[in-house]
Every structure is written in structure tokens, then in C-alpha cells.
Amino acid sequence: MPVTLRDIADRANVTTATVSMVINNKPNISDETRQRVMTIARELNYYPNSIARSLAISKSNSVGVIVPNLASSYVVRILQGIKSTNRDIEYTVQLFDTIGQKESEAQLFQRLARERRIDGAILVDPVCSEDEMRVFKDEMVPCVVVARRTTFLDTVFVDNLEAARSATQYLLGKNHRDIACVICRKTNLPWEDRVEGYRYALTDSGIQANDDYLISVPDDGMHDGEIAWTRIASMKRRPTAVFVPAGDMVAIGLMKAAKRAGLRIPQDIAVVGFDDLPAAEVIEPALTTVRQPKLEMGDTAIGMVIDKIEKRSPGVTSVELQTKLIVRESA
Amino acid sequence: MPVTLRDIADRANVTTATVSMVINNKPNISDETRQRVMTIARELNYYPNSIARSLAISKSNSVGVIVPNLASSYVVRILQGIKSTNRDIEYTVQLFDTIGQKESEAQLFQRLARERRIDGAILVDPVCSEDEMRVFKDEMVPCVVVARRTTFLDTVFVDNLEAARSATQYLLGKNHRDIACVICRKTNLPWEDRVEGYRYALTDSGIQANDDYLISVPDDGMHDGEIAWTRIASMKRRPTAVFVPAGDMVAIGLMKAAKRAGLRIPQDIAVVGFDDLPAAEVIEPALTTVRQPKLEMGDTAIGMVIDKIEKRSPGVTSVELQTKLIVRESA
DNA sequence: TTGTAGGCGTTATCAT
DNA sequence: ATGATAACGCCTACAA
């Protein structure tokens, strides 16, 4: 039913080879033939069958984007970054969410690659183990990892250590000396780098990091902020400031709890978050927080895969993007 | 380089036809052969080339999801719904964002369909005209529209009129009689239905709708809420309640402005939003708002396309989902 | 139960 | 400049 090269070829009294060359703007076609074929193609409303084309040229023209959980606003933001530059690019984005799947990210990637569904992949904030990730290296299709540091794969990530250090320094600059730190040890969060940055900042200022001030919460929701607050409220020497690398929602939960307890923010207790979610502007006082360049991360990631796909550019490249402390009112 | 049916066939001393049948679990194959072939396939680490398969069976096994703007949290939520049930389904999701594109949604859809890239499509919250949408009807691939009402296409939408009516009724039940309504006329927002619902509720209670109370703002951000507030603040007879079908961010902006002006919420002015964004829980007092079943919408939509693709259901079906008023503190 | 042969719609390598 | 023809890798009658 759909019109094919053959239909055009027949009507134009040429072969499919010629039509194909015309459609793809190849040289060495007489102007006359070119015109005739194009006219007929238009008349017949011809669209090339992309699957047949893919089979012939062994290229799917699509890249897989594998995310751990589409419910995370962080992930979505990166996805936006990917899509925004992908606009004018001739690669289709195939989206995969691995949450609750039997297949691990590594297995999924491997399958997609071997089934020739994708020419490349972007792995956002993967939760799988380092060992599992080694399979990526051996596949024939390039893969770039976003928001997680790896040595053997192309990566775009953020300098979490430096981000945490400067956030902490900001607090120190406000003359806070008792600064708590609320983290969440979920596997895909780079909490280690952030804690390290926090510690460095303290050390640099000649302050001995107090392990009691390091609070770990199970998840990264508002409720976890309340948990953190009860921990803080019960301390013998209560910190005057809290840095919350666990994320803005935790910071917000903490602020709400503190306010409910009668504290004023930032006078009685200052708080700095991490992420810069939309909600950071909604809470009162507005949350001072570390903004990650998520759009840019997605953006550079898609650029990198496409480069790899097309130029076969060798070696592994890592791009480190900088964060920015967004100063509002909570500190 | 990659292993094909032929490789397996050779090693197993059968033909590719036999191998194909084994791989696809077709009947009428001796157990012995089946075992032998499977073993070899596993040894060689065989993965079927999905593109070749698609070409052979004329089926791409993927559905296109076309969204107007991935930056909208509303859209993202629906996307989550689509992905969540799509989990165990053998259709791949290809994601397209039309914002800033030269191609209209209709053109994009048409192209994808004709190029045989997709077996079906979901059109989320389309901004294109009714006329343009007629294109969808004539393509050979099914398409379901989400979050917008159409008569000639499969649709899953929400009863905006009823949602607005019951939100307004809730306010009336709290003895408010002067109720303003803040809308945003962006094309893809069903503001007309919502205004109608608002009016019905008033009329039902024997109240004459006051056109001065109908406020239109240019966009749906926090800033627009401030605009709305200045309008309200300047009214000779100030409403005691505001219903904000323009969305939660507008409602939040309005609340902030009102609080800054010294008003207490809900005592001096009550506000009810629309959408139930995460931020609705963050603002203080927490926002009472209309929750749309966005996950369910995505969920139903993907189910519908797949049904259509697999021909389980003829005709055009419309599914109407119900909203829910989430009562918090702002009213 | 298995093999033969043709087709799915393009692209690409030869000749001519 | 164009035509034959063989891939690309898989599926599916139909034949044996």
C-alpha cells in the first residue's frame, strides 16, 4: 500500500537505484532525471521507509537514553537538556526507565546495542555497579555516563566536592562555626564527594569536623528533612547552620520542622540546600542552594555520543561542569 | 562481525528458516533440533537484529510520544505514567518534543507514521489546531490524544468542568460568596471548561458571576500570580477567595504576594489551585488544589494505543478521568 | 519436521 | 548518467 522506490522508479522509467540516488542527493544524476524523479516522488507523496534504510546502511539513527527513575526531577531536567539540543539532530531518542525492571541497566544497554536498536546511549545517573558498567566498554556502540564519575567511560559530571566545599565556605563566611551536614546515602547520589568537600572547607578554616554533625537520612524527601531536624534538635550543642547535600526537599522539610519548633531562619539556624529545585523558590525564606547545570549536562552528553557515533573519536573523555551557589534568603 | 541466523544455521546444520522458528518459539520443531539450535545460539551470544525483523514483519515495535514541551511538569508526569506501565510491554518509546521545532505536531506525526518509524503514537497536550489534527485520523497508525478533548480521535482527558465546579463549590461551602478566578489563556490549557465549571457552581448557588472577578494572566508562572494579586488588591470589593485554574505556580505567586501585603491565608483570603505540583505542599500554608490523575492518564493512553495497534478495539474511544480536590490549608 | 526460495525497501558496487 | 544485481538479516509460504 505505501509507496516505495519501486513505484517511483516505474513511473519515471528508471531503476530504484537511480531514484535512491536522487532522494539522497547524490551527485552524477542528470538534472532532467532529477527533476522528473522528484516531481513524481512528490506527487506520490513518498516517504522513505526508515527501517529498510537502517537495515541497508546498518545504522538505526537513534540513541537510547536510560534513566534510573523518571520520577526524579533531577533526571527529568537532564532529559530536557538532551532533548533541547537534540532538536535539529537526526537522531531519535528512545527512552528507557529501569526502575522496577528485571533487567539491570547494563543488561538493557547490552541488549539494545546487540539488537542494533541504538547507535549510542546515554546513561543517566546509573545505579548499577562499577563492574557491571564494564560491559559498556566492550560493546560496539558508544555510551556516555551522566552524573556519575567513571574512569573507563565517557562521562559528564559535576564537581561535587568543590560544590560542597564552596557552599560550606559560604556558611563559614557568615561566621558559622558549628555546621551540620545532612546526607542521604542512596547509591546513585555522590554523597561521598560532597561530604569530603564539606570536610575540606572546615579543615581549611582550621575547624575540626565533628562527626556528630554528620546526619544520614534514608531517602531524599521532605519527610527526611523532619527526621534530620529531630536529630539536630536533640543535640547538646546545636549547630547554627546546616548544609544539606541530600537535596532541596530534605532541606525544605528541615526548614519547616525548624520553623514549627519556633526557630527563625536564617537568624537562629541557616540552611543551604543542593539541587535548586523549583520548590527552593517557593519555601519561605527562599532557599539558598547549589545549582547543578543539569540542562547543560544533558546537552553535552548528547553532543558527546553523537561525536563518538560519527567521528569515532577515540579515547575516553570526561567533561566536568561547574555548579553555582544560588544565594537566596535561608542563609 | 555480529552473529546472525546464518552463523547459527551453519553450525547447527540446519537452515536459517529452522533457526528462525526456534528463536521465535514456533511449533513443529523437533525437541532435539530445538535444543541444539538454542545451545548454539547461546554459545554464540546471539541477539536478533531488531531492524531486520522489523523490516520483515513490517512492524517497528515502537510508539512515538509527542510532547509540546518537556519543561512542563504536567507533561513529564504524564510521561511517567506512560513509561510506568510500558515497563513490561514490548514497545519502545520514542520521545519527541515539538517546542521550537519547525515541524508542527501534525507534520511530525505524519512523517513518523509514513516513514514507518512508529506503530502508534501518543500526543500529549497538543497545541496544534483541530484542523491539523484531522491528519491523524487518516494515517494508518493509531494515535491517542491526551489532555485535550477531540471528537474524532481516541482521547483520554479529564473532566475540567466538573473539577472546576467542585473546587468552586468547596469555596462556596466555606461561605465565600465573592470568589475570583485566575485563568491563563495559553492555547493548550483547557481554561474554557474550567471557567465554565466555575460559573456553573456560582449559578447553582444563585450567585451572579461577576466578570470583574475573572482575571487573565499571560503565563502560568509564579510571577503571573503576583500580577493577579495586584489586580485583586486594586478591586473596590475585594474577593474573599480565589480559585486559580491557571495552575499551582500562579496560585503560589498570588499567595506570596498576598502574604507580603499583610493578608492571612485562608482567613483574609482563601486560595485554591489546580494541578497539585510538589510545590503545593511546600508553600505555607499548604495549598488546597485540584489534582489531576496524570499518571493514570499516561497509563491509560499507552494501553489504548497498544490495543489499537493490536487491533483489539475498533472505533474511537474516549476515556474521561476524574480529578480530586486535595484539601490542605489554604482554603 | 525441515529445506527452498522469495520478499520486506533501501543502499551500494559494479558494469554499461 | 543509469541499469543490473547483490547485499542487509530476518520471516514465511510452500514444498519435500
Side-chain angles (χ1 to χ4, degrees):
Chain A
M1 198 70 254
V3 16
T4 70
L5 283 189
R6 160 112 273 116
D7 301 318
I8 302 180
D10 289 350
R11 287 219 192 11
N13 289 315
V14 292
T15 63
T16 60
T18 306
V19 179
S20 174
M21 297 176 96
V22 171
I23 297 292
N24 294 323
N25 275 312
K26 303 280 187 191
N28 294 330
I29 299 280
S30 77
D31 259 20
E32 195 272 323
T33 311
R34 192 180 294 276
Q35 294 308 331
R36 186 156 39 93
V37 168
M38 283 307 272
T39 316
I40 296 179
R42 241 186 285 281
E43 279 174 8
L44 263 39
N45 220 314
Y46 170 74
Y47 285 79
N49 181 321
S50 69
I51 296 190
R53 172 176 283 173
S54 284
L55 182 60
I57 67 181
S58 301
K59 192 156 182 292
S60 68
N61 276 299
S62 63
V63 335
V65 173
I66 302 179
V67 306
N69 183 359
L70 206 45
S72 150
S73 67
Y74 180 89
V75 165
V76 166
R77 199 91 178 114
I78 292 173
L79 185 58
Q80 284 169 24
I82 293 173
K83 284 305 299 181
S84 64
T85 58
N86 186 48
R87 287 195 190 320
D88 300 315
I89 296 177
E90 71 281 32
Y91 287 84
T92 279
V93 164
Q94 303 194 176
L95 182 61
F96 301 89
D97 190 346
T98 55
I99 191 173
Q101 294 283 52
K102 57 252 145 195
E103 259 182 334
S104 79
E105 283 146 328
Q107 291 169 321
L108 174 61
F109 170 76
Q110 197 167 53
R111 184 167 62 80
L112 295 175
R114 307 255 245 248
E115 290 179 352
R116 301 238 128 37
R117 283 178 198 276
I118 56 175
D119 296 331
I122 295 178
L123 206 54
V124 179
D125 200 11
V127 297
C128 67
S129 72
E130 283 262 319
D131 276 351
E132 284 186 285
M133 291 176 68
R134 295 189 188 278
V135 314
F136 300 141
K137 205 181 153 60
D138 300 329
E139 291 305 317
M140 287 295 76
V141 333
C143 168
V144 0
V145 174
V146 178
R148 173 163 164 183
R149 206 161 190 157
T150 60
T151 53
F152 49 92
L153 249 29
D154 294 318
T155 320
V156 11
F157 61 99
V158 130
D159 190 347
N160 280 284
L161 192 151
E162 184 52 33
R165 191 213 297 256
S166 71
T168 311
Q169 272 167 348
Y170 177 77
L171 253 11
L172 289 163
K174 297 273 183 183
N175 288 320
H176 292 286
R177 312 213 86 232
D178 298 312
I179 304 175
C181 179
V182 180
I183 63 173
C184 168
R185 293 183 210 258
K186 275 167 70 171
T187 45
N188 54 339
L189 277 179
W191 56 271
E192 283 159 320
D193 287 349
R194 295 180 187 172
V195 169
E196 210 172 334
Y198 158 77
R199 288 215 169 100
Y200 280 178
L202 294 183
T203 312
D204 285 352
S205 297
I207 299 177
Q208 166 78 25
N210 177 349
D211 277 351
D212 292 345
Y213 282 170
L214 191 62
I215 299 166
S216 179
V217 291
D219 207 337
D220 57 0
M222 249 170 61
H223 177 64
D224 300 279
E226 294 168 14
I227 296 176
W229 170 250
T230 67
R231 299 272 298 281
I232 288 174
S234 70
M235 289 177 177
K236 59 279 138 211
R237 181 190 178 98
R238 196 166 65 200
T240 62
V242 193
F243 171 45
V244 191
D248 282 351
M249 287 320 281
V250 178
I252 287 171
L254 194 155
M255 285 171 71
K256 286 196 169 222
K259 283 164 73 179
R260 233 178 286 126
L263 298 228
R264 291 161 310 156
I265 299 170
Q267 297 89 337
D268 299 328
I269 188 160
V271 4
V272 172
F274 212 109
D275 280 349
D276 195 29
L277 302 185
E281 283 196 274
V282 170
I283 186 76
E284 289 164 343
L287 182 62
T288 292
T289 187
V290 176
R291 170 182 298 167
Q292 307 202 54
K294 302 178 212 97
L295 283 177
E296 200 185 341
M297 289 164 77
D299 200 280
T300 39
I302 185 77
M304 284 169 68
V305 246
I306 289 174
D307 263 22
K308 286 278 175 179
I309 291 173
E310 293 180 348
K311 312 187 201 308
R312 281 315 196 178
S313 59
V316 340
T317 44
S318 290
V319 175
E320 182 175 76
L321 268 20
Q322 292 307 308
T323 59
K324 189 175 169 200
L325 185 70
I326 305 296
V327 175
R328 286 195 268 252
E329 309 152 4
S330 67
Chain B
M1 198 70 255
V3 15
T4 69
L5 284 189
R6 159 110 272 118
D7 300 318
I8 301 179
D10 289 351
R11 289 221 192 9
N13 288 316
V14 291
T15 64
T16 59
T18 306
V19 179
S20 174
M21 297 175 97
V22 171
I23 297 292
N24 294 325
N25 276 312
K26 302 282 185 190
N28 296 330
I29 299 279
S30 77
D31 258 20
E32 195 274 324
T33 309
R34 192 181 295 275
Q35 294 308 330
R36 186 156 38 94
V37 168
M38 284 305 273
T39 315
I40 296 179
R42 244 186 284 279
E43 278 173 13
L44 295 183
N45 219 314
Y46 171 75
Y47 284 79
N49 180 320
S50 68
I51 296 189
R53 172 176 282 174
S54 284
L55 183 59
I57 66 180
S58 299
K59 192 153 181 295
S60 68
N61 275 299
S62 63
V63 335
V65 174
I66 303 179
V67 305
N69 184 358
L70 206 46
S72 150
S73 67
Y74 180 89
V75 165
V76 167
R77 200 88 179 116
I78 292 173
L79 186 57
Q80 285 169 24
I82 293 173
K83 285 304 299 181
S84 64
T85 56
N86 187 49
R87 292 197 186 317
D88 301 314
I89 296 177
E90 72 279 32
Y91 287 84
T92 278
V93 164
Q94 304 194 176
L95 182 61
F96 301 90
D97 190 346
T98 56
I99 192 174
Q101 294 285 53
K102 56 247 145 202
E103 258 182 336
S104 78
E105 283 147 329
Q107 291 170 322
L108 174 60
F109 170 76
Q110 195 166 54
R111 183 166 63 79
L112 295 175
R114 307 256 246 248
E115 290 178 352
R116 299 242 141 9
R117 284 178 196 278
I118 56 176
D119 296 331
I122 294 177
L123 206 55
V124 179
D125 201 9
V127 297
C128 66
S129 71
E130 283 262 318
D131 275 352
E132 284 185 284
M133 291 176 67
R134 296 192 186 278
V135 162
F136 300 139
K137 204 181 155 58
D138 301 329
E139 291 305 319
M140 287 296 75
V141 333
C143 168
V144 0
V145 174
V146 178
R148 175 164 162 182
R149 206 160 190 158
T150 59
T151 53
F152 48 93
L153 249 30
D154 293 319
T155 321
V156 12
F157 61 98
V158 129
D159 191 347
N160 280 285
L161 192 152
E162 184 51 34
R165 191 213 296 256
S166 71
T168 310
Q169 271 166 351
Y170 178 78
L171 254 11
L172 289 164
K174 296 274 183 183
N175 287 321
H176 292 286
R177 311 213 85 228
D178 298 312
I179 305 174
C181 178
V182 180
I183 63 174
C184 167
R185 293 182 210 260
K186 275 167 72 172
T187 46
N188 54 338
L189 278 179
W191 55 272
E192 284 158 320
D193 287 349
R194 295 180 187 171
V195 169
E196 211 172 335
Y198 158 76
R199 288 216 168 100
Y200 279 178
L202 294 184
T203 311
D204 284 353
S205 296
I207 297 178
Q208 166 78 23
N210 177 348
D211 277 352
D212 292 346
Y213 281 169
L214 190 63
I215 299 167
S216 179
V217 292
D219 207 338
D220 57 1
M222 248 170 62
H223 177 62
D224 300 279
E226 294 168 14
I227 296 176
W229 169 250
T230 66
R231 297 273 297 283
I232 289 174
S234 70
M235 289 178 178
K236 60 279 138 214
R237 181 190 178 99
R238 197 164 66 200
T240 60
V242 194
F243 171 46
V244 191
D248 282 351
M249 287 319 281
V250 178
I252 287 171
L254 194 155
M255 285 170 70
K256 287 197 168 220
K259 284 164 72 179
R260 234 179 285 124
L263 298 228
R264 292 160 308 156
I265 298 171
Q267 299 86 338
D268 299 329
I269 189 159
V271 2
V272 172
F274 212 108
D275 280 350
D276 195 29
L277 303 183
E281 282 196 275
V282 170
I283 186 74
E284 289 165 343
L287 182 61
T288 292
T289 187
V290 176
R291 172 182 295 167
Q292 306 201 55
K294 303 179 210 95
L295 284 177
E296 200 185 341
M297 288 165 77
D299 200 281
T300 328
I302 186 75
M304 284 170 66
V305 246
I306 289 174
D307 263 18
K308 286 278 175 181
I309 291 173
E310 298 179 350
K311 314 255 181 272
R312 305 195 202 301
S313 52
V316 342
T317 44
S318 290
V319 175
E320 182 176 77
L321 267 22
Q322 292 307 309
T323 59
K324 188 174 169 201
L325 185 70
I326 305 295
V327 175
R328 286 195 269 253
E329 307 152 6
S330 68

